[in-house]
Amino acid sequence: MAAPVTRQVSGCAGRVLSPSGSNPERGQPLAADVAELPVQDASGRRVTFGALFRERRAVVVFVRHFLCYVCKEYVEDLGKIPKSVLREADVTLIVIGQSSYHHIEPFCKLTGYSHEIYVDPEREIYKRLGMKRGEEISSSGQSPHIKSNLLSGSLQSLWWAVTGPLFDFQGDPAQQGGTLILGPGNSIHFVHRDRNRLDHKPINSVLQLVGVQPVNFMSRPTVIHV
């Protein structure tokens, strides 16, 4: 296995977090061995996870898999966040999936997402961060970012699978994602682990935590000045 390379930005354009995934207290550092785990960019280049947020804070969103209609619609809204407001706050937005890197470019074209994106095809970072497998149905709620219902969304996912350039399901469908705010360095500021496919943290709630103005997701990527 090749050694991870120095970070190359991939876009489409103390106490530690234990391996068991116990919820860290705010301010605890990310375990050094987790920071050294590799992710891949759209070209298949390997970079260490910790390099993604070594120099600045990052909102890191782990998605279920690239054929999940819920993840697709959530990432569509992430793509509406203007790069200018992130630069102003000195914050990076990163999506991490669990498919082969070959699926990154088609997913970005599908969603219009142009911020940073990587994959963890072995799901090793998901596991070490305690991301859940399976769904807590009893805790399901309605995400403000999801427009499709279960039937129409599932049909869309199937259509993308059979018409896509690579016919596979692009990850473990039982794997849940989550959202973290990390950096600079191995600092952990916030952790949310999704309990089910609709349990994404509302994007504006996360942006507020990093000092970014709310975004209007109903139309074009307009910042709401408050």
Side-chain angles (χ1 to χ4, degrees):
M1 181 177 291
V5 300
T6 303
R7 181 190 185 196
Q8 300 183 42
V9 171
S10 171
C12 304
R15 295 174 64 192
V16 301
L17 183 64
S18 72
S20 64
S22 57
N23 192 27
E25 297 176 3
R26 182 174 179 175
Q28 288 185 354
L30 182 71
D33 57 344
V34 177
E36 290 301 314
L37 290 170
V39 292
Q40 292 177 285
D41 68 11
S43 299
R45 288 187 295 260
R46 296 162 66 84
V47 57
T48 60
F49 179 50
L52 306 183
F53 42 86
R54 181 174 295 145
E55 303 298 331
R56 64 179 64 182
R57 284 180 304 165
V59 174
V60 184
V61 178
F62 289 81
V63 298
R64 296 180 64 244
H65 58 86
F66 287 164
L67 287 176
C68 170
Y69 75 92
V70 172
C71 297
K72 179 256 186 185
E73 295 182 7
Y74 188 80
V75 172
E76 281 179 333
D77 277 2
L78 288 174
K80 296 176 184 178
I81 302 172
K83 292 183 178 180
S84 58
V85 301
L86 295 174
R87 285 195 298 267
E88 185 178 343
D90 198 26
V91 173
T92 301
L93 174 61
I94 299 166
V95 165
I96 295 181
Q98 45 141 336
S99 75
S100 164
Y101 71 88
H102 297 97
H103 295 296
I104 291 178
E105 187 174 349
F107 184 68
C108 290
K109 289 180 179 178
L110 180 67
T111 59
Y113 178 86
S114 62
H115 301 281
E116 292 188 43
I117 183 167
Y118 303 87
V119 291
D120 172 23
E122 302 301 323
R123 297 188 297 116
E124 192 61 32
I125 300 172
Y126 284 78
K127 296 170 188 175
R128 294 297 304 274
L129 292 178
M131 302 296 176
K132 298 180 181 296
R133 288 192 74 252
E135 296 207 56
E136 295 182 19
I137 302 300
S138 62
S139 62
S140 294
Q142 181 58 52
S143 167
H145 303 287
I146 309 309
K147 295 83 181 174
S148 301
N149 60 36
L150 179 60
L151 177 59
S152 65
S154 298
L155 290 173
Q156 287 180 60
S157 296
L158 181 60
W159 177 252
W160 299 328
V162 300
T163 61
L166 298 170
F167 181 73
D168 65 59
F169 283 88
Q170 303 183 22
D172 180 354
Q175 179 66 60
Q176 303 301 321
T179 299
L180 295 87
I181 299 174
L182 303 165
N186 287 348
S187 300
I188 300 174
H189 306 285
F190 173 82
V191 177
H192 171 82
R193 296 177 183 84
D194 299 343
R195 296 169 295 180
N196 55 63
R197 69 190 67 194
L198 294 175
D199 192 37
H200 291 110
K201 192 71 175 174
I203 296 170
N204 278 331
S205 298
V206 179
L207 294 180
Q208 183 180 26
L209 295 175
V210 292
V212 174
Q213 292 282 344
V215 173
N216 179 5
F217 294 107
M218 300 303 295
S219 56
R220 303 183 66 180
T222 304
V223 176
I224 303 171
H225 295 286
V226 295

